[in-house]
Amino acid sequence: RLVNQVVTHLIQAIRSKEGSFSSIERLGAGSYYEHVKVFEPNEFDIMLLMPVARLQLDECDDTGAYYYLSFKRNPKEKYLLKFLDEDGKLSAFKMLQALREIIKQEVKNIKNVEVTVKRKKAGSPAITLQIKNPPSEISVDIILTLEVQQSWPPSTQDGLKIEQWLGRKVRNEFRNRSLYLVAKQNKKEKVLRGNTWRLSFSHIEKHMLNNHGSSKTCCESDGPKCCRKGCLKLLKYLLEQLKMQYTKQLEKFCSYHVKTAFFHSCVMWPKDTDWQLGDLEYCFEKYLGYFLDCLQKSQLPHFFIPQYNLLSPEDKASNYLLSRLLNYELNNGFPIFQE
C-alpha cells in the first residue's frame, strides 16, 4: 500500500511536468510481482515505461543484449532530442539524470511518508527510493524503460525455446510484443559514456511465471497444482542465504541467474507431470543439478538471447565456489534450510 501510494504520487507529478516524461506508464516487475518473493516484501522493482515509436538499434558488443540507440528520421518524440549525445545516440545517462532530478524534487512533497532518494550507484539502471516504514525500510527501484513498437533484434531469433512447454502460438504472441530497453551501462566498454541500453524481457518473464503450465489450468484455483514455483523459491532462498555468508565472493550472482536456469529447466521438462506437487524434492534436485552443471561449465545462456552467457569464464573462481557450496548442501540434506 505504501509503495503504491508513493509511486502513484510520483507518476502523477512526473506526468504533470510538460515534456519528456509525460507519457510514462508503470509496470510492476521482479519477484514480488511474479509471486516468487522469498523474504519480507521489502524490495520492489517498478518499471516506468516510456513509449517510443521506432529506434535504430546498433549492437555495442558481442552479447546481443546491449545497444546504442538513435533515431532513424525525425522522431515523433521531439522531446527526446535533448537527450542525444554528441554522436547522436540516445543517452541513458542524461535521461536518468533528468528523471532523477524530478523525483528528488518531488519526494519532498509526499505527505505522511518519509521518502529519500538513495545515492546513485555507478552503472545501475535504477533510481532507488528508501521508504521509512518502522521498524524497517522499504526499497523501491524505479527503472526507466523504453517501450519500442518494433520487432525484436536478430540476437533473439533462437531464444525463447518454449514450443514444447508453452506452445508455438504463445511464443509467436510473445515475440509480437513491444521491445523493452533499460538504461543499463555496458561495463565492457573501454570508455563509460552512459549511452548504452540493455534489452529487458521482464514483461514476458512475469507472464511465463504467472502462466507456467503446459496446460492452461495448471495451479489455477480448480486446476492441478505443480511445484515449479516452489522449486524456484527454494533455489532463490538458498542463493540468498549463501550470499549472506559469502557476500564478497558471491556478489556476482543474483536471482536472475536462478530464474534463467529455471526457465531452461521448464523447457527441458516441459510437461506439468514433470513437476507434480508431491515430487517437490525430486524436481528441486533435478533443477539444482542443471544449475550446478552450468556453474561447472561457466555457461548459462540468456533465455532470450542464447549467444549471451550470464556466467562468464572470467568469474570461474566464484562459479566454482558457488558450485562447491551448493553441492555441499545437496549432499548433506540442505542444512541451510534447517537453520
Side-chain angles (χ1 to χ4, degrees):
R1 205 181 67 237
L2 213 51
V3 170
N4 277 334
Q5 181 190 334
V6 170
V7 173
T8 305
H9 177 106
L10 287 177
I11 287 179
Q12 282 168 349
I14 294 167
R15 281 199 194 129
S16 68
K17 300 213 183 330
E18 278 311 302
S20 316
F21 302 105
S22 55
S23 55
I24 58 169
E25 296 287 335
R26 77 179 272 181
L27 174 79
S31 55
Y32 178 77
Y33 297 96
E34 293 163 346
H35 308 293
V36 288
K37 191 90 186 125
V38 289
F39 290 109
E40 283 293 300
N42 59 355
E43 290 178 358
F44 294 81
D45 296 330
I46 305 280
M47 293 181 116
L48 290 192
L49 303 182
M50 262 184 98
V52 182
R54 285 194 70 70
L55 284 168
Q56 161 94 27
L57 271 65
D58 295 303
E59 291 195 21
C60 65
D61 64 8
D62 54 3
T63 61
Y66 288 91
Y67 292 83
Y68 297 121
L69 306 181
S70 50
F71 292 106
K72 291 189 168 160
R73 292 176 293 284
N74 276 340
K76 284 212 243 355
E77 300 82 12
K78 293 275 181 277
Y79 52 81
L80 288 177
L81 295 175
K82 66 167 178 283
F83 297 124
L84 296 180
D85 65 11
E86 56 280 7
D87 304 332
K89 297 191 180 82
L90 190 57
S91 165
F93 174 75
K94 284 186 179 180
M95 285 187 78
L96 272 180
Q97 196 74 349
L99 184 60
R100 194 184 178 84
E101 281 313 309
I102 298 174
I103 290 176
K104 267 168 83 170
Q105 288 311 312
E106 202 44 55
V107 292
K108 298 171 186 165
N109 302 330
I110 299 178
K111 306 275 181 284
N112 316 335
V113 193
E114 197 181 321
V115 187
T116 48
V117 179
K118 281 186 73 172
R119 285 203 33 215
K120 190 175 178 317
K121 277 214 295 279
S124 160
I127 297 166
T128 306
L129 308 176
Q130 287 297 129
I131 303 176
K132 273 263 191 306
N133 179 31
S136 61
E137 292 199 335
I138 297 173
S139 142
V140 181
D141 277 349
I142 292 184
I143 300 155
L144 176 64
T145 309
L146 303 179
E147 180 179 12
V148 193
Q149 307 291 332
Q150 68 193 50
S151 50
W152 295 12
S155 63
T156 63
Q157 196 57 52
D158 299 326
L160 191 59
K161 283 270 169 268
I162 57 173
E163 291 88 343
Q164 304 300 310
W165 168 33
L166 299 173
R168 180 164 288 126
K169 203 169 127 199
V170 174
R171 183 179 191 269
N172 293 340
E173 182 206 313
F174 283 160
R175 288 188 56 89
N176 284 324
R177 293 193 183 186
S178 306
L179 194 59
Y180 281 17
L181 292 141
V182 295
K184 178 74 176 136
Q185 180 65 61
N186 181 1
K187 298 214 172 61
K188 283 191 181 159
E189 283 201 302
K190 303 277 183 292
V191 183
L192 298 182
R193 285 221 198 83
N195 60 1
T196 56
W197 297 77
R198 192 187 63 202
L199 293 178
S200 164
F201 301 91
S202 303
H203 51 320
I204 312 281
E205 290 163 8
K206 180 174 163 182
H207 194 96
M208 290 195 301
L209 276 168
N210 291 333
N211 303 277
H212 53 252
S214 51
S215 77
K216 294 282 171 275
T217 55
C218 184
C219 288
E220 283 185 2
S221 52
D222 46 359
K225 304 277 183 277
C226 79
C227 66
R228 286 182 181 91
K229 277 192 172 179
C231 290
L232 174 57
K233 282 182 174 178
L234 281 173
L235 193 46
K236 281 183 67 163
Y237 178 80
L238 194 48
L239 177 63
E240 285 180 33
Q241 293 298 82
L242 291 171
K243 279 187 69 159
M244 283 178 198
Q245 293 173 19
Y246 299 87
T247 313
K248 196 81 196 98
Q249 301 95 312
L250 299 181
E251 68 181 354
K252 284 273 191 294
F253 297 102
C254 63
S255 60
Y256 197 73
H257 290 105
V258 167
K259 184 157 85 166
T260 300
F262 172 74
F263 288 138
H264 286 302
S265 300
C266 288
V267 166
M268 283 190 289
W269 301 289
K271 296 199 219 38
D272 295 343
T273 47
D274 295 327
W275 300 87
Q276 283 173 336
L277 195 57
D279 298 339
L280 175 69
E281 196 175 335
Y282 167 72
C283 295
F284 175 65
E285 291 185 5
K286 200 165 61 166
Y287 157 46
L288 175 58
Y290 168 71
F291 187 51
L292 282 166
D293 199 39
C294 295
L295 289 167
Q296 280 298 324
K297 296 178 184 151
S298 289
Q299 185 69 36
L300 173 61
H302 190 287
F303 193 65
F304 297 82
I305 310 169
Q307 72 197 55
Y308 181 21
N309 178 16
L310 298 178
L311 293 175
S312 80
E314 291 115 68
D315 301 328
K316 257 205 175 99
S318 48
N319 295 342
Y320 283 163
L321 172 65
L322 181 56
S323 148
R324 264 207 343 266
L325 295 169
L326 287 171
N327 263 311
Y328 174 82
E329 291 296 322
L330 176 63
N331 298 329
N332 291 282
F334 299 103
I336 213 158
F337 289 148
Q338 268 83 58
E339 280 172 17

mmCIF file of all heavy atoms in Angstrom, residues 294-328:
data_model
loop_
_atom_site.group_PDB
_atom_site.id
_atom_site.type_symbol
_atom_site.label_atom_id
_atom_site.label_comp_id
_atom_site.label_asym_id
_atom_site.label_seq_id
_atom_site.Cartn_x
_atom_site.Cartn_y
_atom_site.Cartn_z
ATOM 1 N N CYS A 294 25.681 -25.866 -15.104
ATOM 2 C CA CYS A 294 26.002 -24.557 -15.707
ATOM 3 C C CYS A 294 27.203 -23.921 -14.998
ATOM 4 O O CYS A 294 28.103 -23.378 -15.644
ATOM 5 C CB CYS A 294 24.812 -23.597 -15.594
ATOM 6 S SG CYS A 294 23.369 -24.121 -16.520
ATOM 7 N N LEU A 295 27.208 -24.007 -13.660
ATOM 8 C CA LEU A 295 28.311 -23.407 -12.893
ATOM 9 C C LEU A 295 29.628 -24.107 -13.209
ATOM 10 O O LEU A 295 30.669 -23.471 -13.379
ATOM 11 C CB LEU A 295 28.025 -23.493 -11.390
ATOM 12 C CG LEU A 295 26.915 -22.584 -10.858
ATOM 13 C CD1 LEU A 295 26.518 -22.995 -9.443
ATOM 14 C CD2 LEU A 295 27.337 -21.117 -10.874
ATOM 15 N N GLN A 296 29.570 -25.438 -13.317
ATOM 16 C CA GLN A 296 30.784 -26.215 -13.632
ATOM 17 C C GLN A 296 31.380 -25.775 -14.966
ATOM 18 O O GLN A 296 32.588 -25.658 -15.111
ATOM 19 C CB GLN A 296 30.444 -27.716 -13.718
ATOM 20 C CG GLN A 296 30.332 -28.404 -12.379
ATOM 21 C CD GLN A 296 31.647 -28.379 -11.601
ATOM 22 O OE1 GLN A 296 32.734 -28.479 -12.162
ATOM 23 N NE2 GLN A 296 31.555 -28.204 -10.289
ATOM 24 N N LYS A 297 30.479 -25.541 -15.933
ATOM 25 C CA LYS A 297 30.962 -25.194 -17.287
ATOM 26 C C LYS A 297 31.137 -23.688 -17.465
ATOM 27 O O LYS A 297 31.549 -23.245 -18.535
ATOM 28 C CB LYS A 297 29.950 -25.675 -18.330
ATOM 29 C CG LYS A 297 29.760 -27.173 -18.394
ATOM 30 C CD LYS A 297 28.689 -27.485 -19.431
ATOM 31 C CE LYS A 297 28.368 -28.969 -19.472
ATOM 32 N NZ LYS A 297 26.971 -29.208 -19.891
ATOM 33 N N SER A 298 30.768 -22.902 -16.434
ATOM 34 C CA SER A 298 30.722 -21.436 -16.569
ATOM 35 C C SER A 298 29.924 -21.037 -17.809
ATOM 36 O O SER A 298 30.328 -20.185 -18.599
ATOM 37 C CB SER A 298 32.129 -20.840 -16.658
ATOM 38 O OG SER A 298 32.761 -20.940 -15.417
ATOM 39 N N GLN A 299 28.781 -21.674 -17.965
ATOM 40 C CA GLN A 299 27.995 -21.464 -19.185
ATOM 41 C C GLN A 299 26.503 -21.502 -18.858
ATOM 42 O O GLN A 299 25.955 -22.562 -18.571
ATOM 43 C CB GLN A 299 28.359 -22.584 -20.182
ATOM 44 C CG GLN A 299 27.729 -22.468 -21.559
ATOM 45 C CD GLN A 299 28.282 -21.300 -22.358
ATOM 46 O OE1 GLN A 299 29.451 -20.982 -22.285
ATOM 47 N NE2 GLN A 299 27.417 -20.635 -23.112
ATOM 48 N N LEU A 300 25.861 -20.316 -18.864
ATOM 49 C CA LEU A 300 24.412 -20.238 -18.669
ATOM 50 C C LEU A 300 23.872 -19.264 -19.707
ATOM 51 O O LEU A 300 23.974 -18.046 -19.544
ATOM 52 C CB LEU A 300 24.078 -19.749 -17.243
ATOM 53 C CG LEU A 300 22.603 -19.449 -16.930
ATOM 54 C CD1 LEU A 300 21.729 -20.691 -17.083
ATOM 55 C CD2 LEU A 300 22.437 -18.870 -15.520
ATOM 56 N N PRO A 301 23.320 -19.783 -20.807
ATOM 57 C CA PRO A 301 22.856 -18.878 -21.867
ATOM 58 C C PRO A 301 21.619 -18.091 -21.428
ATOM 59 O O PRO A 301 20.733 -18.634 -20.776
ATOM 60 C CB PRO A 301 22.500 -19.811 -23.028
ATOM 61 C CG PRO A 301 22.737 -21.197 -22.561
ATOM 62 C CD PRO A 301 23.123 -21.193 -21.121
ATOM 63 N N HIS A 302 21.604 -16.822 -21.756
ATOM 64 C CA HIS A 302 20.429 -15.981 -21.504
ATOM 65 C C HIS A 302 19.238 -16.630 -22.199
ATOM 66 O O HIS A 302 19.353 -17.123 -23.321
ATOM 67 C CB HIS A 302 20.697 -14.582 -22.091
ATOM 68 C CG HIS A 302 19.687 -13.549 -21.712
ATOM 69 N ND1 HIS A 302 18.412 -13.540 -22.237
ATOM 70 C CD2 HIS A 302 19.759 -12.477 -20.886
ATOM 71 C CE1 HIS A 302 17.745 -12.506 -21.737
ATOM 72 N NE2 HIS A 302 18.535 -11.840 -20.911
ATOM 73 N N PHE A 303 18.077 -16.632 -21.550
ATOM 74 C CA PHE A 303 16.943 -17.389 -22.080
ATOM 75 C C PHE A 303 16.411 -16.821 -23.400
ATOM 76 O O PHE A 303 15.896 -17.545 -24.237
ATOM 77 C CB PHE A 303 15.818 -17.438 -21.036
ATOM 78 C CG PHE A 303 14.742 -18.443 -21.370
ATOM 79 C CD1 PHE A 303 15.030 -19.794 -21.392
ATOM 80 C CD2 PHE A 303 13.443 -18.040 -21.691
ATOM 81 C CE1 PHE A 303 14.050 -20.736 -21.707
ATOM 82 C CE2 PHE A 303 12.458 -18.966 -21.999
ATOM 83 C CZ PHE A 303 12.765 -20.315 -22.016
ATOM 84 N N PHE A 304 16.568 -15.518 -23.586
ATOM 85 C CA PHE A 304 16.026 -14.875 -24.794
ATOM 86 C C PHE A 304 17.111 -14.557 -25.820
ATOM 87 O O PHE A 304 16.821 -14.318 -26.982
ATOM 88 C CB PHE A 304 15.322 -13.561 -24.425
ATOM 89 C CG PHE A 304 14.131 -13.743 -23.522
ATOM 90 C CD1 PHE A 304 14.282 -13.891 -22.147
ATOM 91 C CD2 PHE A 304 12.845 -13.778 -24.047
ATOM 92 C CE1 PHE A 304 13.187 -14.067 -21.315
ATOM 93 C CE2 PHE A 304 11.740 -13.958 -23.219
ATOM 94 C CZ PHE A 304 11.905 -14.104 -21.850
ATOM 95 N N ILE A 305 18.376 -14.510 -25.352
ATOM 96 C CA ILE A 305 19.500 -14.142 -26.231
ATOM 97 C C ILE A 305 20.571 -15.213 -26.051
ATOM 98 O O ILE A 305 21.513 -15.058 -25.271
ATOM 99 C CB ILE A 305 20.081 -12.766 -25.824
ATOM 100 C CG1 ILE A 305 18.974 -11.724 -25.680
ATOM 101 C CG2 ILE A 305 21.141 -12.293 -26.813
ATOM 102 C CD1 ILE A 305 19.400 -10.414 -25.026
ATOM 103 N N PRO A 306 20.436 -16.359 -26.755
ATOM 104 C CA PRO A 306 21.279 -17.525 -26.446
ATOM 105 C C PRO A 306 22.781 -17.274 -26.542
ATOM 106 O O PRO A 306 23.562 -17.929 -25.863
ATOM 107 C CB PRO A 306 20.832 -18.580 -27.459
ATOM 108 C CG PRO A 306 19.701 -18.002 -28.218
ATOM 109 C CD PRO A 306 19.440 -16.604 -27.789
ATOM 110 N N GLN A 307 23.210 -16.306 -27.379
ATOM 111 C CA GLN A 307 24.658 -16.077 -27.505
ATOM 112 C C GLN A 307 25.236 -15.370 -26.266
ATOM 113 O O GLN A 307 26.448 -15.307 -26.086
ATOM 114 C CB GLN A 307 24.950 -15.224 -28.748
ATOM 115 C CG GLN A 307 24.526 -13.763 -28.602
ATOM 116 C CD GLN A 307 24.430 -13.037 -29.934
ATOM 117 O OE1 GLN A 307 23.733 -13.471 -30.849
ATOM 118 N NE2 GLN A 307 25.122 -11.914 -30.055
ATOM 119 N N TYR A 308 24.357 -14.854 -25.414
ATOM 120 C CA TYR A 308 24.799 -14.087 -24.250
ATOM 121 C C TYR A 308 24.944 -15.027 -23.056
ATOM 122 O O TYR A 308 23.968 -15.562 -22.558
ATOM 123 C CB TYR A 308 23.766 -12.988 -23.975
ATOM 124 C CG TYR A 308 24.040 -12.064 -22.809
ATOM 125 C CD1 TYR A 308 25.321 -11.886 -22.288
ATOM 126 C CD2 TYR A 308 22.986 -11.350 -22.230
ATOM 127 C CE1 TYR A 308 25.552 -11.034 -21.231
ATOM 128 C CE2 TYR A 308 23.209 -10.474 -21.164
ATOM 129 C CZ TYR A 308 24.491 -10.326 -20.668
ATOM 130 O OH TYR A 308 24.715 -9.470 -19.616
ATOM 131 N N ASN A 309 26.193 -15.228 -22.619
ATOM 132 C CA ASN A 309 26.455 -16.134 -21.493
ATOM 133 C C ASN A 309 26.434 -15.340 -20.180
ATOM 134 O O ASN A 309 27.202 -14.399 -20.015
ATOM 135 C CB ASN A 309 27.821 -16.799 -21.692
ATOM 136 C CG ASN A 309 28.188 -17.706 -20.534
ATOM 137 O OD1 ASN A 309 27.336 -18.078 -19.721
ATOM 138 N ND2 ASN A 309 29.460 -18.060 -20.449
ATOM 139 N N LEU A 310 25.541 -15.735 -19.261
ATOM 140 C CA LEU A 310 25.416 -14.997 -17.997
ATOM 141 C C LEU A 310 26.469 -15.392 -16.966
ATOM 142 O O LEU A 310 26.584 -14.756 -15.925
ATOM 143 C CB LEU A 310 24.013 -15.210 -17.398
ATOM 144 C CG LEU A 310 22.823 -14.704 -18.229
ATOM 145 C CD1 LEU A 310 21.511 -15.039 -17.522
ATOM 146 C CD2 LEU A 310 22.908 -13.214 -18.486
ATOM 147 N N LEU A 311 27.222 -16.478 -17.246
ATOM 148 C CA LEU A 311 28.271 -16.891 -16.300
ATOM 149 C C LEU A 311 29.622 -16.821 -16.997
ATOM 150 O O LEU A 311 30.086 -17.810 -17.540
ATOM 151 C CB LEU A 311 28.049 -18.338 -15.838
ATOM 152 C CG LEU A 311 26.831 -18.647 -14.985
ATOM 153 C CD1 LEU A 311 26.752 -20.153 -14.750
ATOM 154 C CD2 LEU A 311 26.910 -17.914 -13.647
ATOM 155 N N SER A 312 30.234 -15.659 -16.983
ATOM 156 C CA SER A 312 31.423 -15.552 -17.825
ATOM 157 C C SER A 312 32.581 -16.357 -17.230
ATOM 158 O O SER A 312 32.750 -16.443 -16.007
ATOM 159 C CB SER A 312 31.807 -14.095 -18.012
ATOM 160 O OG SER A 312 32.499 -13.646 -16.881
ATOM 161 N N PRO A 313 33.376 -16.971 -18.128
ATOM 162 C CA PRO A 313 34.525 -17.766 -17.689
ATOM 163 C C PRO A 313 35.525 -16.958 -16.856
ATOM 164 O O PRO A 313 36.285 -17.536 -16.079
ATOM 165 C CB PRO A 313 35.160 -18.215 -19.010
ATOM 166 C CG PRO A 313 34.018 -18.207 -19.988
ATOM 167 C CD PRO A 313 33.146 -17.063 -19.569
ATOM 168 N N GLU A 314 35.518 -15.609 -16.981
ATOM 169 C CA GLU A 314 36.416 -14.802 -16.135
ATOM 170 C C GLU A 314 36.074 -14.981 -14.649
ATOM 171 O O GLU A 314 36.904 -14.757 -13.781
ATOM 172 C CB GLU A 314 36.320 -13.302 -16.445
ATOM 173 C CG GLU A 314 36.860 -12.877 -17.781
ATOM 174 C CD GLU A 314 35.752 -12.327 -18.677
ATOM 175 O OE1 GLU A 314 35.210 -11.250 -18.368
ATOM 176 O OE2 GLU A 314 35.435 -13.001 -19.682
ATOM 177 N N ASP A 315 34.813 -15.338 -14.390
ATOM 178 C CA ASP A 315 34.400 -15.499 -12.986
ATOM 179 C C ASP A 315 34.473 -16.954 -12.539
ATOM 180 O O ASP A 315 33.757 -17.359 -11.624
ATOM 181 C CB ASP A 315 32.949 -15.003 -12.806
ATOM 182 C CG ASP A 315 32.812 -13.546 -13.193
ATOM 183 O OD1 ASP A 315 33.784 -12.803 -13.000
ATOM 184 O OD2 ASP A 315 31.742 -13.152 -13.686
ATOM 185 N N LYS A 316 35.341 -17.726 -13.194
ATOM 186 C CA LYS A 316 35.426 -19.158 -12.883
ATOM 187 C C LYS A 316 35.529 -19.429 -11.386
ATOM 188 O O LYS A 316 34.861 -20.318 -10.857
ATOM 189 C CB LYS A 316 36.657 -19.766 -13.579
ATOM 190 C CG LYS A 316 36.282 -20.563 -14.818
ATOM 191 C CD LYS A 316 37.327 -21.618 -15.145
ATOM 192 C CE LYS A 316 36.853 -22.464 -16.303
ATOM 193 N NZ LYS A 316 37.405 -22.078 -17.600
ATOM 194 N N ALA A 317 36.352 -18.644 -10.691
ATOM 195 C CA ALA A 317 36.584 -18.901 -9.260
ATOM 196 C C ALA A 317 35.273 -18.799 -8.481
ATOM 197 O O ALA A 317 34.967 -19.673 -7.668
ATOM 198 C CB ALA A 317 37.609 -17.918 -8.713
ATOM 199 N N SER A 318 34.478 -17.752 -8.737
ATOM 200 C CA SER A 318 33.228 -17.638 -7.972
ATOM 201 C C SER A 318 32.197 -18.663 -8.452
ATOM 202 O O SER A 318 31.400 -19.160 -7.657
ATOM 203 C CB SER A 318 32.674 -16.210 -8.011
ATOM 204 O OG SER A 318 32.645 -15.708 -9.308
ATOM 205 N N ASN A 319 32.233 -19.030 -9.740
ATOM 206 C CA ASN A 319 31.331 -20.087 -10.220
ATOM 207 C C ASN A 319 31.624 -21.405 -9.498
ATOM 208 O O ASN A 319 30.714 -22.118 -9.074
ATOM 209 C CB ASN A 319 31.484 -20.302 -11.734
ATOM 210 C CG ASN A 319 31.056 -19.074 -12.532
ATOM 211 O OD1 ASN A 319 30.356 -18.199 -12.017
ATOM 212 N ND2 ASN A 319 31.477 -18.998 -13.789
ATOM 213 N N TYR A 320 32.934 -21.716 -9.357
ATOM 214 C CA TYR A 320 33.315 -22.963 -8.673
ATOM 215 C C TYR A 320 32.939 -22.918 -7.196
ATOM 216 O O TYR A 320 32.502 -23.912 -6.637
ATOM 217 C CB TYR A 320 34.825 -23.218 -8.814
ATOM 218 C CG TYR A 320 35.235 -23.737 -10.167
ATOM 219 C CD1 TYR A 320 36.552 -23.699 -10.600
ATOM 220 C CD2 TYR A 320 34.283 -24.278 -11.041
ATOM 221 C CE1 TYR A 320 36.925 -24.179 -11.862
ATOM 222 C CE2 TYR A 320 34.632 -24.751 -12.295
ATOM 223 C CZ TYR A 320 35.946 -24.698 -12.701
ATOM 224 O OH TYR A 320 36.295 -25.159 -13.944
ATOM 225 N N LEU A 321 33.143 -21.751 -6.587
ATOM 226 C CA LEU A 321 32.827 -21.639 -5.158
ATOM 227 C C LEU A 321 31.337 -21.901 -4.944
ATOM 228 O O LEU A 321 30.955 -22.702 -4.083
ATOM 229 C CB LEU A 321 33.200 -20.256 -4.620
ATOM 230 C CG LEU A 321 32.718 -19.989 -3.182
ATOM 231 C CD1 LEU A 321 33.416 -20.925 -2.186
ATOM 232 C CD2 LEU A 321 32.928 -18.542 -2.763
ATOM 233 N N LEU A 322 30.506 -21.243 -5.738
ATOM 234 C CA LEU A 322 29.060 -21.425 -5.558
ATOM 235 C C LEU A 322 28.693 -22.890 -5.802
ATOM 236 O O LEU A 322 27.897 -23.478 -5.072
ATOM 237 C CB LEU A 322 28.265 -20.513 -6.499
ATOM 238 C CG LEU A 322 26.741 -20.615 -6.375
ATOM 239 C CD1 LEU A 322 26.276 -20.350 -4.949
ATOM 240 C CD2 LEU A 322 26.036 -19.649 -7.329
ATOM 241 N N SER A 323 29.322 -23.475 -6.810
ATOM 242 C CA SER A 323 29.045 -24.873 -7.128
ATOM 243 C C SER A 323 29.447 -25.791 -5.959
ATOM 244 O O SER A 323 28.717 -26.710 -5.591
ATOM 245 C CB SER A 323 29.793 -25.206 -8.428
ATOM 246 O OG SER A 323 30.190 -26.523 -8.448
ATOM 247 N N ARG A 324 30.590 -25.506 -5.335
ATOM 248 C CA ARG A 324 31.023 -26.299 -4.163
ATOM 249 C C ARG A 324 30.029 -26.174 -3.018
ATOM 250 O O ARG A 324 29.646 -27.159 -2.385
ATOM 251 C CB ARG A 324 32.397 -25.816 -3.689
ATOM 252 C CG ARG A 324 33.556 -26.608 -4.225
ATOM 253 C CD ARG A 324 34.813 -26.625 -3.335
ATOM 254 N NE ARG A 324 34.915 -25.618 -2.307
ATOM 255 C CZ ARG A 324 35.538 -24.441 -2.453
ATOM 256 N NH1 ARG A 324 36.078 -24.116 -3.623
ATOM 257 N NH2 ARG A 324 35.636 -23.606 -1.440
ATOM 258 N N LEU A 325 29.607 -24.934 -2.747
ATOM 259 C CA LEU A 325 28.685 -24.693 -1.624
ATOM 260 C C LEU A 325 27.342 -25.381 -1.863
ATOM 261 O O LEU A 325 26.758 -25.969 -0.951
ATOM 262 C CB LEU A 325 28.474 -23.183 -1.431
ATOM 263 C CG LEU A 325 29.714 -22.387 -0.992
ATOM 264 C CD1 LEU A 325 29.458 -20.881 -1.106
ATOM 265 C CD2 LEU A 325 30.108 -22.744 0.444
ATOM 266 N N LEU A 326 26.868 -25.315 -3.104
ATOM 267 C CA LEU A 326 25.570 -25.927 -3.419
ATOM 268 C C LEU A 326 25.666 -27.452 -3.354
ATOM 269 O O LEU A 326 24.760 -28.126 -2.887
ATOM 270 C CB LEU A 326 25.086 -25.474 -4.802
ATOM 271 C CG LEU A 326 24.598 -24.018 -4.903
ATOM 272 C CD1 LEU A 326 24.358 -23.627 -6.355
ATOM 273 C CD2 LEU A 326 23.321 -23.793 -4.087
ATOM 274 N N ASN A 327 26.796 -27.978 -3.834
ATOM 275 C CA ASN A 327 26.992 -29.425 -3.762
ATOM 276 C C ASN A 327 27.023 -29.910 -2.317
ATOM 277 O O ASN A 327 26.479 -30.968 -1.994
ATOM 278 C CB ASN A 327 28.297 -29.828 -4.467
ATOM 279 C CG ASN A 327 28.016 -30.297 -5.887
ATOM 280 O OD1 ASN A 327 27.125 -31.125 -6.101
ATOM 281 N ND2 ASN A 327 28.748 -29.747 -6.855
ATOM 282 N N TYR A 328 27.664 -29.122 -1.469
ATOM 283 C CA TYR A 328 27.712 -29.470 -0.045
ATOM 284 C C TYR A 328 26.289 -29.551 0.511
ATOM 285 O O TYR A 328 25.932 -30.496 1.217
ATOM 286 C CB TYR A 328 28.539 -28.440 0.734
ATOM 287 C CG TYR A 328 28.495 -28.698 2.222
ATOM 288 C CD1 TYR A 328 29.324 -29.646 2.806
ATOM 289 C CD2 TYR A 328 27.582 -28.018 3.039
ATOM 290 C CE1 TYR A 328 29.250 -29.920 4.176
ATOM 291 C CE2 TYR A 328 27.498 -28.273 4.408
ATOM 292 C CZ TYR A 328 28.339 -29.227 4.971
ATOM 293 O OH TYR A 328 28.259 -29.502 6.313
#
